[in-house]
Amino acid sequence: MRSKTRMAAFAACMVSLAMAATAAPAAPASFANGVEVTAAEQGHLMSLRGAMPKNDEFSKSRVSHPARPLPWLDGPGTPVDGAQQGQAFSVAAPTMGLGFDGVGKGFTGPQGTFTVNAAPPDTNGAVGTTQYVQTVNTALAVFDKGTGNVVYGPVPINTLFQPLGGSCAADNDGDPVVVFDKLAKRWVISQFAVTAAPYYQCVAVSQTEDATGAYNLYAFNYGSVFPDYPKMGVWTDAYYISFNMFNGNTFTGSKACAYDRASMLAGAPATQQCVQLSTSYGGLLPADLDGTTAPPAGAPGIFMARGSSALYRWLMGVNWSNPSATTFSSTPTSLPVASYAAACGGGTCVPQSGVAQKLDSLADRLMFRLAYRNFGTYDSVVVTHSVQIGNYRKGDNTAVRWYEVRNPATANAVYQQGTYNPDSTFRWMGSIAQDKQGNMALGYSVSSTTLHPGIRVAMRGAGDALGTLQAETSILEGTGSQTGSNLSRWGDYSAMTVDPVDDCTFWYTTEYLKANGAFNWSTRIASFKYPGCQ
């Protein structure tokens, strides 16, 4: 009994230490020059390792998260793709590193075993100095990046937010994003809380480079308008984030916001500044910094979205001391791109081996991330989305379109673009990034009537012909197709990130299936580098 009493006291002490914070209530929103300013609720988590996970979250009823489509952004008909690369150039294969399973069906780590209760997985991950952090609907895990061994998790993401109380502590609703702030060496992990209004974005900023340690916690309020598909990027003056806002099922336009990065790193009270766009624009992505060379001094935050024949760009110059001086592009700059049609008409058409169920393309938006890098003599962003080759109603395949925009804050045209389509396999749900030499890696899902969904990557050397990728490499060939429960939802996003230590090694994570079924997804994490990058 004495031993049990001591253990109970120890556990109570650990919970107290882990959650030694109370949430500070937020002030109501104010407006300055069309910019909405809102204070966040705030708290602190003393130690993620010491927090008590709510693993009963994994036993909740299965939920298929509905796709919330954006306004139709394609032109009329099915235009011929104007940037198609129909043949891959065979050169040196990437130097492969680790390959291991992330969170998914039956995944087990120090904190227990994960049970899939949502689809799609919203697979996302980022690499830090010594760790890799992966988030999915609705869990997170931390891995040793040197071995691939799981060192913490899986735990529900709202384990992070218990000190805040309220919706961020009670809800575990997903749409998670994790990024690594390479300049500050901090983790930023977020998900939304949308079980009931008011809706929140819950944000945790680590106090060190250890993802299992202490965090500064924030809850940003979005009222009764649903903040769907949040996507975050690291910049010098802010953590920029975008949402697709819905009033019920009615799209009300994208919202672009800036979180006070300096205050959040310091654990101080923080505000957000937001601009609501019209219903003409959706699916914005904020630029997310790779490497340790900051953007040019005073560079505004960059947002981009796709149109029917262009990339749209907005610039946000945030002023934290005087919000009325914050600037945001009143209308976007249009960067013309080669003709294309959205994969599956923006809907569902991707076939799988052995089953009738088709998969969603999510081709109505750009795919996470809008990866930014400053090379010194120029800066650059790269991004991708899914396009149609031929007519999807006739069973023609999909492909991945990618872009590079140099000097993205001032450019009026893309620097290079390509549609990767070396054969009739369906390719979609991509993510792209550049290493310190300017080599690119584009990861994506593949499938067809003779292929279970799998994972592949195509690379581009910095000196290759513009608009071209090299022969693809298989990361993993799937052994199952999604079927049952009328479940078409797939991916929603994946993540290609770059190791901040060597600035050469790419890390990619996305979903696959080991066997036919529904709500039985797995995820894969793989590392590799372009040959010759030291």
Side-chain angles (χ1 to χ4, degrees):
M1 293 298 292
R2 183 178 301 172
S3 175
K4 290 183 179 180
T5 301
R6 287 177 177 172
M7 289 298 293
F10 175 76
C13 179
M14 289 301 293
V15 171
S16 176
L17 286 172
M19 301 184 175
T22 56
S30 61
F31 287 85
N33 193 29
V35 178
E36 182 181 4
V37 183
T38 312
E41 299 174 17
Q42 182 192 2
H44 301 278
L45 177 69
M46 297 299 291
S47 170
L48 181 56
R49 290 184 303 275
M52 189 69 71
K54 296 178 61 180
N55 283 335
D56 58 331
E57 295 281 351
F58 297 154
S59 62
K60 290 185 176 180
S61 300
R62 293 173 174 176
V63 176
S64 175
H65 290 218
R68 294 177 181 268
L70 301 179
W72 185 251
L73 297 175
D74 265 6
T78 54
V80 173
D81 193 286
Q84 184 177 169
Q85 178 190 349
Q87 178 182 0
F89 298 96
S90 296
V91 293
T95 303
M96 302 304 297
L98 296 177
F100 53 92
D101 272 0
V103 180
K105 176 179 170 60
F107 175 83
T108 299
Q111 274 62 45
T113 299
F114 177 73
T115 301
V116 173
N117 63 5
D122 292 357
T123 315
N124 189 232
V127 57
T129 52
T130 63
Q131 297 165 326
Y132 186 90
V133 176
Q134 187 194 46
T135 57
V136 299
N137 278 333
T138 46
L140 70 85
V142 181
F143 301 84
D144 182 320
K145 80 172 191 183
T147 64
N149 294 331
V150 56
V151 297
Y152 179 81
V155 298
I157 297 171
N158 65 349
T159 301
L160 280 165
F161 300 105
Q162 293 310 299
L164 277 174
S167 297
C168 285
D171 300 349
N172 196 45
D173 293 332
D175 261 30
V177 175
V178 53
V179 292
F180 187 70
D181 184 334
K182 300 168 184 67
L183 299 179
K185 297 183 179 180
R186 303 286 192 89
W187 296 96
V188 186
I189 302 173
S190 65
Q191 73 169 354
F192 59 21
V194 292
T195 299
Y199 304 126
Y200 288 88
Q201 186 70 14
C202 313
V203 185
V205 180
S206 69
Q207 295 181 12
T208 70
E209 59 192 314
D210 179 9
T212 68
Y215 282 83
N216 304 323
L217 308 177
Y218 298 89
F220 293 95
N221 190 328
Y222 297 91
S224 60
V225 185
F226 192 97
D228 194 38
Y229 209 72
K231 294 294 171 284
M232 185 182 290
V234 175
W235 208 246
T236 49
D237 62 350
Y239 295 127
Y240 288 96
I241 191 167
S242 60
F243 303 89
N244 297 320
M245 307 301 288
F246 285 84
N247 187 358
N249 291 321
T250 301
F251 179 63
T252 62
S254 279
K255 177 169 278 192
C257 298
Y259 296 160
D260 187 346
R261 174 177 176 265
S263 294
M264 296 168 78
L265 289 171
T271 59
Q272 67 171 341
Q273 296 186 20
C274 295
V275 176
Q276 178 65 51
L277 278 67
S278 76
T279 55
S280 298
Y281 305 107
L284 273 68
L285 286 182
D288 182 36
L289 175 66
D290 282 337
T292 55
T293 301
I302 300 168
F303 291 86
M304 285 189 172
R306 56 151 287 227
S308 61
S309 58
L311 289 177
Y312 296 132
R313 179 193 65 223
W314 294 261
L315 302 178
M316 187 171 187
V318 66
N319 189 314
W320 293 112
S321 59
N322 181 16
S324 63
T326 290
T327 60
F328 189 86
S329 305
S330 56
T331 57
T333 298
S334 181
L335 283 62
V337 301
S339 60
Y340 71 85
C344 308
T348 304
C349 77
V350 179
Q352 308 172 87
S353 176
V355 301
Q357 179 67 58
K358 303 291 180 66
L359 301 176
D360 292 347
S361 67
L362 218 71
D364 58 358
R365 64 199 72 188
L366 297 176
M367 290 283 96
F368 188 70
R369 295 179 301 131
L370 179 62
Y372 172 92
R373 184 177 286 273
N374 187 350
F375 289 97
T377 56
Y378 67 93
D379 56 348
S380 169
V381 294
V382 291
V383 73
T384 184
H385 62 98
S386 303
V387 298
Q388 185 65 44
I389 303 299
N391 190 332
Y392 73 92
R393 293 184 177 88
K394 297 180 179 180
D396 294 334
N397 66 294
T398 63
V400 281
R401 168 70 69 88
W402 60 274
Y403 307 96
E404 180 187 7
V405 180
R406 293 195 174 181
N407 304 316
T410 58
N412 292 311
V414 300
Y415 176 73
Q416 62 173 322
Q417 59 190 308
T419 294
Y420 191 64
N421 183 47
D423 57 39
S424 60
T425 298
F426 284 67
R427 293 170 176 83
W428 85 113
M429 204 62 65
S431 183
I432 190 171
Q434 298 180 89
D435 67 19
K436 65 183 180 183
Q437 296 180 342
N439 308 306
M440 296 183 193
L442 171 60
Y444 45 86
S445 292
V446 295
S447 190
S448 73
T449 56
T450 59
L451 282 176
H452 299 297
I455 306 168
R456 296 183 189 174
V457 62
M459 304 191 77
R460 179 184 184 277
D464 290 353
L466 295 181
T468 62
L469 297 176
Q470 299 172 5
E472 66 187 0
T473 296
S474 175
I475 299 296
L476 185 143
E477 295 300 304
T479 51
S481 293
Q482 187 163 281
T483 183
S485 301
N486 195 29
L487 186 60
S488 64
R489 307 290 286 113
W490 185 268
D492 263 15
Y493 43 101
S494 62
M496 182 74 74
T497 56
V498 185
D499 193 306
V501 176
D502 67 9
D503 216 9
C504 282
T505 303
F506 295 97
W507 290 75
Y508 184 58
T509 186
T510 192
E511 78 164 300
Y512 76 101
L513 271 70
K514 295 180 179 178
N516 288 4
F519 295 97
N520 65 329
W521 47 260
S522 295
T523 65
R524 192 71 174 174
I525 301 166
S527 67
F528 49 89
K529 65 174 63 176
Y530 191 81
C533 190
Q534 301 297 322

